[in-house]
Amino acid sequence: MVETQIVERGIRDERVIEVMKKVPRHLFVPEDIMDDAYDDRALPIGHGQTISQPYIVALMTELLELKGNEKVLEIGTGSGYQAAVLAEIVSEVHTIERIQPLAEEAKKKFEKLGYKNIKVYVKDGTEGLPEEAPFDRIIITAATPDIPEPLQLQLREGGIIVAPVGKRYSQYMLKAEKKGDKLEKHYLIPVAFVPLIGKYGWKEE
Ligand code: SAM
């Protein structure tokens, strides 16, 4: 998976490559599709949600430009795989999921695998986590019409936010750096994520 899907597509950050080799993706997918865990695609994890394609997880992690001492906020815990990848590199991961059973499943996996630096919250992630702000990095792993204002406020000066931004069913990957009270935005490749549902996201259908 790592050689053909990740390195060949241009991921260069050694730490990201090492972590993608280390984290057992098959333990983050439902048992009946475990054989497909390393396929080059997103997979269903129940409740109409998905675990992202391995390359997208690697790309978003690389775009965060992690050094190792960061406090990271993730919106959209889902299976917990992206949070585990982040937790292998940084000191603190705070991850928010709105669907309680997914959050509970992810929490169990983190305990089983020994991740002590991940905290899981069940709430509307579009409002962020003001009690833990500021964050050095924020990653949104669901499609958002724009960067929710509370998240922009909870990002520290010079911090980076990575998110799929655009329409409900088609977006561009955005990398933005906070400069003063503004975000300097760079749009990268086209992507398709499940929608971010919440006060500053999309309405539930
Ligand atoms: N990062 C996940 C992983 O590694 O498996 C994949 C995330 S999945 C593509 C998107 C997730 O965002 C879903 O689990 C969905 O329930 C969650 N989500 C959508 N809106 C949300 C919100 N407002 N707050 C928190 N989570 C949200």
Side-chain angles (χ1 to χ4, degrees):
M1 174 189 90
V2 172
E3 288 308 322
T4 58
Q5 299 174 34
I6 291 171
V7 177
E8 276 188 18
R9 288 202 182 110
I11 299 297
R12 289 287 168 265
D13 186 325
E14 281 302 328
R15 266 165 311 184
V16 176
I17 294 168
E18 281 318 302
V19 167
M20 294 298 295
K21 285 181 185 164
K22 185 175 170 193
V23 178
R25 184 171 163 91
H26 60 281
L27 299 183
F28 289 89
V29 303
E31 251 177 67
D32 59 329
I33 55 164
M34 227 183 223
D35 287 350
D36 304 331
Y38 297 91
D39 286 3
D40 190 12
R41 60 191 167 108
L43 293 169
I45 55 169
H47 306 274
Q49 305 305 321
T50 53
I51 174 173
S52 303
Q53 182 190 9
Y55 168 66
I56 293 295
V57 173
L59 175 68
M60 293 181 89
T61 310
E62 182 171 76
L63 290 172
L64 288 171
E65 295 182 21
L66 302 169
K67 306 279 178 287
N69 56 352
E70 293 88 355
K71 181 174 183 177
V72 180
L73 174 65
E74 180 194 29
I75 315 301
T77 313
S79 69
Y81 179 65
Q82 174 76 71
V85 165
L86 293 168
E88 289 281 349
I89 303 176
V90 304
S91 48
E92 257 180 78
V93 178
H94 298 263
T95 181
I96 308 179
E97 174 55 58
R98 64 185 281 273
I99 300 175
Q100 185 153 7
L102 286 178
E104 279 165 12
E105 262 307 300
K107 211 169 161 188
K108 274 192 225 150
K109 286 172 201 157
F110 300 147
E111 277 160 19
K112 193 171 155 202
L113 293 168
Y115 289 106
K116 298 202 187 324
N117 57 343
I118 307 177
K119 276 199 190 148
V120 184
Y121 306 79
V122 181
K123 58 173 282 202
D124 174 7
T126 68
E127 304 200 65
L129 210 53
E131 65 274 27
E132 286 288 345
F135 294 95
D136 302 302
R137 302 287 187 266
I138 298 178
I139 174 171
I140 308 176
T141 61
T144 178
D146 205 346
I147 301 299
E149 177 113 26
L151 300 184
Q152 188 167 331
L153 293 172
Q154 291 167 32
L155 183 66
R156 79 155 168 77
E157 171 64 24
I160 295 172
I161 186 161
V162 172
V165 175
K167 298 185 190 147
R168 190 166 179 131
Y169 297 107
S170 66
Q171 313 84 35
Y172 274 86
M173 188 61 76
L174 171 74
K175 173 181 180 175
E177 196 172 332
K178 189 167 174 178
K179 298 265 173 75
D181 57 1
K182 290 212 166 68
L183 287 178
E184 200 176 274
K185 297 181 177 177
H186 299 280
Y187 288 92
L188 305 154
I189 57 167
V191 287
F193 277 68
V194 293
L196 182 75
I197 308 291
K199 187 173 173 192
Y200 298 89
W202 303 100
K203 288 199 175 68
E204 200 152 13
E205 274 187 336

